[in-house]
Amino acid sequence: MKNPNEERFEKHIERSLNGHGYKSMLYSEYDRTQCLIKDELLDFIKSTQEQTYEKLKNQFTDQTDKQILKVLNDQIFKRGLIDVLRKGISTRGCSFDLVYFKPKSGLNPEHNKKYNHNRFVSIRQLHYSNKNENSIDMVIFLNGIPIVTMELKNQLTGQDIKNSENQYRYDRNPVGEPLLKFKRCLVHFCVDNNKVSMTTKLSGKNTKFLPYNKGIENPSVKDDFRTEYLWNEVLLPDSLLDIIENFVIVREESKSEWNHKEGKVSIEKREVLIFPRYHQLDLIKKFK
């Protein structure tokens, strides 16, 4: 059973997000197998790309929605979420955008209209697994696609972000859980009343978290928590869309180690997903 103090913290964040244009939904509306709020995604596509949708419907009739969902999941698995969000998906000669970024000027009213069609949803206590009833405290969706997960701790319960980090390390296994696989979400946040940390890759006990604070100590905030900048700044729809379009980076890094058995240096290549730290975003905003 959920501790009432932790639940109060969740509700506070949820209400703040609602005030910023988010809609709240229940976890029952989430498809655990396809990792989507299917109706949100399909309604977004139909309301912004009706002609393309009808063109595809001429080929797939009543299987059109199923085809879109299948292609989307296949492409996220192959290309990663950030590439799919930026470039969209294609099937049978029909291309679909999955998000609209802010127009560079106000000269294109149609683009502005589509930008305003982006849908942001938060779900508290998202039951994400087909294997058990484990739940993540809060998950954020863009046009039906999960992009951010958060484990929240209220210090009044005697827990803090270190407990959140261990929850991700030991209770949020990415093996066999599509939502938790690398490049399926942009970032996983650990949040308490005073501090925030983050990771972009869950690796069990080897998961590494980075601080996501304003400084060594977050300043006190009148009538709110010290971590309010996360939901009142970083997670604002305009902010998240800007981050997705311009700041998230996926790159390849090389790690060299001496292989004693073979007597030579072994080079391991791996992909790294970089989500901008708070101070980086803050610096850029000041120069805009």
Side-chain angles (χ1 to χ4, degrees):
M1 187 174 176
K2 197 78 174 167
N3 187 295
N5 285 319
E6 193 169 307
E7 187 174 8
R8 194 175 298 128
F9 189 38
E10 282 182 21
K11 287 182 176 178
H12 174 79
I13 296 173
E14 179 184 42
R15 283 193 298 269
S16 297
L17 291 174
N18 292 156
H20 297 313
Y22 278 72
K23 179 169 67 173
S24 295
M25 297 182 76
L26 301 173
Y27 77 83
S28 56
E29 297 177 82
Y30 173 74
D31 187 298
R32 304 187 196 194
T33 302
Q34 296 188 306
C35 300
L36 296 168
I37 307 174
K38 294 189 291 186
D39 288 346
E40 282 288 293
L41 172 71
L42 294 168
D43 287 349
F44 169 78
I45 287 175
K46 292 173 188 178
S47 64
T48 57
Q49 300 154 88
E50 183 181 4
Q51 290 183 344
T52 309
Y53 179 83
E54 290 300 324
K55 180 181 174 183
L56 189 67
K57 193 173 180 181
N58 288 335
Q59 301 178 63
F60 285 96
T61 61
D62 61 349
Q63 296 297 303
T64 304
D65 292 354
K66 186 177 180 180
Q67 174 67 8
I68 290 173
L69 297 173
K70 180 182 182 302
V71 170
L72 172 60
N73 264 303
D74 288 347
Q75 289 302 302
I76 291 177
F77 178 77
K78 291 176 183 175
R79 295 158 50 197
L81 175 63
I82 191 65
D83 192 62
V84 168
L85 287 176
R86 286 174 176 166
K87 298 177 182 177
I89 57 171
S90 297
T91 177
R92 296 289 185 90
C94 298
S95 297
F96 294 99
D97 294 315
L98 302 171
V99 58
Y100 288 102
F101 298 114
K102 197 164 192 174
K104 305 306 178 189
S105 74
L107 300 178
N108 189 334
E110 184 60 28
H111 193 151
N112 255 317
K113 184 179 177 182
K114 287 185 174 181
Y115 178 76
N116 291 326
H117 268 85
N118 287 313
R119 300 159 174 242
F120 282 84
V121 165
S122 68
I123 294 182
R124 288 174 46 217
Q125 294 303 311
L126 182 84
H127 294 253
Y128 60 88
S129 179
N130 281 318
K131 301 174 182 177
N132 53 55
E133 288 304 312
N134 284 353
S135 63
I136 296 173
D137 288 339
M138 186 171 286
V139 179
I140 285 172
F141 295 78
L142 169 58
N143 301 327
I145 302 170
I147 57 173
V148 176
T149 79
M150 295 190 284
E151 289 291 354
L152 312 173
K153 299 298 176 190
N154 189 331
Q155 266 95 331
L156 292 175
T157 67
Q159 295 188 319
D160 57 22
I161 61 167
K162 294 301 178 186
N163 298 94
S164 296
E165 291 173 0
N166 284 332
Q167 205 166 5
Y168 274 121
R169 285 189 179 106
Y170 302 111
D171 299 329
R172 303 287 176 261
N173 191 347
V175 178
E177 295 292 356
L179 176 64
L180 303 179
K181 288 186 181 298
F182 179 53
K183 298 197 299 182
R184 183 81 205 208
C185 283
L186 302 179
V187 63
H188 307 281
F189 284 118
C190 299
V191 190
D192 65 26
N193 306 156
N194 298 322
K195 293 181 179 180
V196 180
S197 63
M198 57 152 277
T199 186
T200 58
K201 185 175 184 178
L202 297 176
S203 306
K205 66 179 181 180
N206 297 316
T207 304
K208 293 180 173 61
F209 290 90
L210 296 172
Y212 201 85
N213 301 310
K214 285 188 168 185
I216 297 175
E217 294 289 334
N218 284 319
S220 60
V221 180
K222 185 180 179 181
D223 300 326
D224 211 332
F225 299 99
R226 290 174 184 259
T227 49
E228 60 78 32
Y229 60 89
L230 182 63
W231 53 89
N232 286 325
E233 294 180 41
V234 179
L235 299 181
L236 292 181
D238 283 353
S239 172
L240 271 179
L241 289 167
D242 188 33
I243 289 169
I244 292 167
E245 182 183 19
N246 298 306
F247 298 109
V248 177
I249 301 169
V250 178
R251 72 184 185 197
E252 191 176 82
E253 291 187 349
S254 297
K255 181 182 178 183
S256 59
E257 287 184 352
W258 179 256
N259 189 318
H260 293 278
K261 187 176 181 180
E262 297 181 7
K264 64 179 182 179
V265 174
S266 297
I267 298 176
E268 177 191 351
K269 291 185 177 180
R270 59 174 186 169
E271 279 191 314
V272 177
L273 193 161
I274 299 172
F275 188 91
R277 307 280 285 280
Y278 177 83
H279 65 274
Q280 294 170 324
L281 293 174
D282 190 49
L283 186 64
I284 291 165
K285 287 175 187 175
K286 287 176 180 175
F287 284 94
K288 275 190 173 183

